[in-house]
Amino acid sequence: MSDSVSKIVIVGGGSAGWLTAGLLASQLTGDSDAPVEITLVESPDVKTIGVGEGTWPTMRITLKKIGITETEFLSRCSASFKQGTKFVAWSSGNEDEYYYHPFSVPAGYGELNLASYWQEQKDRVSFVDAVSTQGHLCDRNLAPKQLATPDYAFVANYGYHLDAGQFAGLLQKHCTQRLGVNHIRDHIIKINGSPDADIRSLSTEGGMEIEGDLFIDCTGLRSLLLGDHYGIPFISRADSLFNDTALAVQVPYAGAEAPIASQTTSTARSAGWIWDIGLQSRRGVGYTYSSAHTDDEAAFEVLRQYVAANRGPEIESLEPRKINFKPGHREQFWHRNCVAVGMSAGFLEPLEASALVMIELAGQFIVEECPADRTSMALVSKRYNKLFGYRWDRIIDFLKLHYLLSERDDSEFWVDNRQPEGISDSLAERLELWKHRAPWLTDFPYQDEIFSAASYQYVLYGMGYDTQVRRNARYQASSNAAQRFFVDNHDTATRIISGLPSNRSLLNNICRQA
Ligand SMILES: Cc1cc2nc3c(=O)[nH]c(=O)nc-3n(C[C@H](O)[C@H](O)[C@H](O)COP(=O)(O)OP(=O)(O)OC[C@H]3O[C@@H](n4cnc5c(N)ncnc54)[C@H](O)[C@@H]3O)c2cc1C
């Protein structure tokens, strides 16, 4: 290995591999006094996971950085706009009960904590409708922008729903044809270098030897480099998050003009929850469940009933696909000259679609901190492990929040989820504080927290958490300002509802232009 980091090898051609390649190639190659060569090698024999359809708004920034236009992305990946998640039957289990966790922060966020003032009117208006316009847009299947709104700009904040296979295909074409990424389709059979030293090179079935200075392990659940070669232990988080199986189907729309939902819908069921994601061409629907609390046959029946009740055809015609996973992550993510990105680093149930955003964050970290030489790599890896270890913990806390606030007692799954041993001290402490004041910026140390206080507010108050706010002089002093924010939000909602097209019509128009 040379002392400078000039050859980066990415192993794996799923969403993790190609997103990382795109972020690195668009920002590290080209005109530079320290040019970096990027090679991606993927096995023709090992399929990608092929799911992962919901993104965060961060994906707009990522695609822009990579240099893909929004029109190209939307038209090539059957993509649609996602404005947040609608949680159905999570609190009491009633089918007509729901709340939204939208992508926009509450009105006045950063200036005034409206969650405190909303408590006075919580019997009259939901939290999301009091502080955000996005629940109204989602209720009406409205797009977050107009045809004239520029690429990646918005009226209401949004991410995407996308077809994972088409997405990897688009990224591959863009990275190889426009960003100069070397692409090798060959199966890695050997990692050269002893487990207590740096990786020197990779040997392939086709007889190649691929050398590199930094190796990025994007081999999915196999974790070929970090897990197999280096033996970095896997930390199970199944004590907190029980779901370990998914049953997924692709459901056709009832007709070409059927509405496209503006959000992912997550419907709670007796041993987990069902995702429902509307792409342009079809819906992706799946049941994520705990194998300790149900069996495959019962899970299949739950999914069958959901599809039948939601305008789908007979499920038997849809070829359901079962995916097993272990909730958890590696003990470290960057070891010596190898960093794991994507499912090789870990995976948790997709309740808040947090996997792709972790890939985007990882890719951007590598770009920004790309070690100049081998000595600084040790320092960079230390920082990376600390930051990403913190992020995994925060994701687990936030996912667990959805379960422990539920009052469902229709199955052991929900009762077990509220047992204190599965709840971290950090989450328990915050919940104690939030009995007397609403979550706020000061609750979390990082500016770019993976789940901010705003997200906690939407889930807590969507699920009926009771905060007894003290109305001290400070509170009273800002009461008028708070009322103005509520009124403004209401007026904005009324105005933009009438000006926004439906998702379906906007997507049709954009794709016609493409
Ligand atoms: C049920 C389910 C639903 C999900 N929903 C969401 C969601 O809504 N939002 C979200 O953000 N994420 C979601 N995810 C996660 C998301 O799908 C993944 O994070 C994402 O697809 C990245 O996968 P990957 O690239 O790490 O792995 P994979 O797609 O598995 O890719 C692995 C790659 O490694 C290669 N490989 C393996 N072995 C070798 C070898 N020996 N030699 C060469 N190459 C090799 C394979 O060929 C392949 O290209 C979901 C996951 C599941 C299971």
Side-chain angles (χ1 to χ4, degrees):
M1 183 183 147
S2 63
D3 195 42
S4 67
V5 176
S6 58
K7 275 188 183 173
I8 300 182
V9 179
I10 299 169
V11 189
S15 302
W18 285 114
L19 270 171
T20 308
L23 280 166
L24 266 59
S26 59
Q27 296 173 83
L28 295 179
T29 59
D31 263 359
S32 161
D33 57 0
V36 174
E37 184 189 313
I38 294 165
T39 301
L40 185 146
V41 51
E42 66 173 318
S43 169
D45 308 324
V46 185
K47 280 194 178 149
T48 61
I49 190 104
V51 281
E53 298 182 329
T55 86
W56 283 22
T58 48
M59 188 57 82
R60 300 201 323 272
I61 301 161
T62 294
L63 292 171
K64 203 171 170 183
K65 273 186 188 144
I66 292 177
I68 295 176
T69 67
E70 188 168 43
T71 305
E72 186 180 12
F73 164 72
L74 289 170
S75 57
R76 294 278 308 278
C77 300
S78 190
S80 60
F81 304 111
K82 171 176 175 179
Q83 298 187 49
T85 303
K86 177 179 181 178
F87 291 93
V88 179
W90 274 79
S91 300
S92 64
N94 287 339
E95 292 296 302
D96 55 1
E97 157 235 310
Y98 69 85
Y99 73 94
Y100 286 105
H101 172 197
F103 283 146
S104 57
V105 295
Y109 191 70
E111 192 179 328
L112 195 57
N113 195 345
L114 285 200
S116 309
Y117 297 90
W118 166 79
Q119 311 290 334
E120 287 181 47
Q121 41 176 307
K122 65 179 176 188
D123 296 333
R124 296 196 304 278
V125 57
S126 68
F127 178 64
V128 72
D129 286 348
V131 303
S132 161
T133 58
Q134 243 165 342
H136 297 291
L137 305 187
C138 291
D139 281 340
R140 293 165 177 77
N141 301 317
L142 291 179
K145 62 197 294 181
Q146 294 165 323
L147 190 59
T149 316
D151 262 21
Y152 300 121
F154 62 79
V155 175
N157 198 11
Y158 67 91
Y160 303 102
H161 294 133
L162 53 82
D163 180 296
Q166 292 175 359
F167 185 48
L170 172 66
L171 287 169
Q172 175 188 322
K173 190 168 170 220
H174 184 81
C175 287
T176 52
Q177 296 184 359
R178 293 192 216 156
L179 298 179
V181 173
N182 306 316
H183 184 201
I184 300 171
R185 285 178 64 79
D186 209 340
H187 190 82
I188 304 296
I189 50 167
K190 190 161 171 274
I191 291 146
N192 303 309
S194 106
D196 56 8
D198 282 348
I199 297 174
R200 255 189 352 266
S201 63
L202 309 171
S203 301
T204 73
E205 208 164 60
M208 291 180 78
E209 183 168 346
I210 305 165
E211 291 184 344
D213 304 315
L214 174 65
F215 291 84
I216 306 187
D217 182 349
C218 297
T219 57
L221 295 173
R222 280 158 210 85
S223 198
L224 199 67
L225 281 63
L226 192 80
D228 281 6
H229 175 71
Y230 277 127
I232 300 296
F234 179 82
I235 310 287
S236 169
R237 305 303 294 257
D239 52 340
S240 280
L241 296 172
F242 306 150
N243 290 341
D244 58 5
T245 316
L247 203 53
V249 286
Q250 299 189 349
V251 181
Y253 280 113
E257 288 308 312
I260 299 176
S262 305
Q263 78 287 332
T264 296
T265 299
S266 162
T267 304
R269 284 291 173 259
S270 57
W273 56 276
I274 291 178
W275 77 78
D276 193 335
I277 286 178
L279 306 184
Q280 287 179 44
S281 53
R282 60 165 172 86
R283 283 157 55 209
V285 179
Y287 187 22
T288 313
Y289 57 91
S290 157
S291 62
H293 292 90
T294 190
D295 57 42
D296 293 348
E297 213 175 306
F300 179 81
E301 180 54 23
V302 168
L303 188 62
R304 191 193 67 74
Q305 285 181 14
Y306 179 90
V307 172
N310 288 276
R311 302 163 63 96
E314 284 300 311
I315 195 169
E316 286 76 6
S317 64
L318 300 177
E319 299 175 17
R321 183 177 155 220
K322 187 178 154 194
I323 302 161
N324 297 312
F325 58 87
K326 289 188 197 144
H329 52 80
R330 297 281 151 188
E331 192 181 79
Q332 288 170 44
F333 316 100
W334 194 325
H335 182 70
R336 302 203 71 103
N337 65 339
C338 167
V339 53
V341 175
M343 294 181 91
S344 57
F347 181 63
L348 303 167
E349 58 176 281
L351 183 60
E352 288 282 357
S354 47
L356 292 175
V357 66
M358 283 288 269
I359 295 167
E360 298 171 73
L361 288 167
Q364 196 53 34
F365 184 103
I366 298 168
V367 167
E368 279 164 21
E369 306 252 349
C370 188
D373 55 31
R374 186 63 190 84
T375 316
S376 58
M377 193 184 294
L379 298 173
V380 170
S381 63
K382 197 168 143 196
R383 287 158 61 89
Y384 185 95
N385 286 328
K386 187 166 173 229
L387 178 61
F388 279 79
Y390 174 82
R391 284 179 169 154
W392 282 101
D393 284 345
R394 292 288 73 73
I395 295 173
I396 290 161
D397 272 5
F398 191 66
L399 300 190
K400 187 67 180 175
L401 182 76
H402 297 67
Y403 292 101
L404 66 87
L405 293 178
S406 175
E407 288 168 3
R408 288 184 72 129
D409 54 9
D410 51 303
S411 67
E412 289 299 306
F413 174 79
W414 292 97
V415 176
D416 289 351
N417 253 304
R418 290 192 289 270
Q419 297 308 312
E421 52 271 22
I423 303 168
S424 73
D425 290 348
S426 59
L427 181 55
E429 280 170 17
R430 287 192 176 104
L431 282 169
E432 193 55 40
L433 288 171
W434 295 334
K435 284 183 183 164
H436 307 292
R437 64 162 181 82
W440 196 229
L441 308 175
T442 45
D443 286 315
F444 301 97
Y446 288 97
Q447 213 178 10
D448 61 346
E449 282 289 335
I450 191 115
F451 290 105
S452 65
S455 289
Y456 277 87
Q457 291 184 353
Y458 284 122
V459 175
L460 285 172
Y461 302 126
M463 293 193 75
Y465 190 77
D466 191 28
T467 300
Q468 295 287 332
V469 175
R470 276 168 301 158
R471 295 177 199 165
N472 54 21
R474 185 164 160 268
Y475 174 95
Q476 305 292 0
S478 298
S479 187
N480 287 342
Q483 295 318 313
R484 276 196 299 278
F485 276 121
F486 288 130
V487 171
D488 281 356
N489 183 64
H490 178 270
D491 293 350
T492 307
T494 314
R495 183 168 44 78
I496 65 175
I497 283 170
S498 59
L500 288 170
S502 75
N503 267 325
R504 173 71 76 189
S505 76
L506 180 58
L507 288 165
N508 283 351
N509 277 329
I510 291 173
C511 292
R512 250 196 301 274
Q513 284 187 352

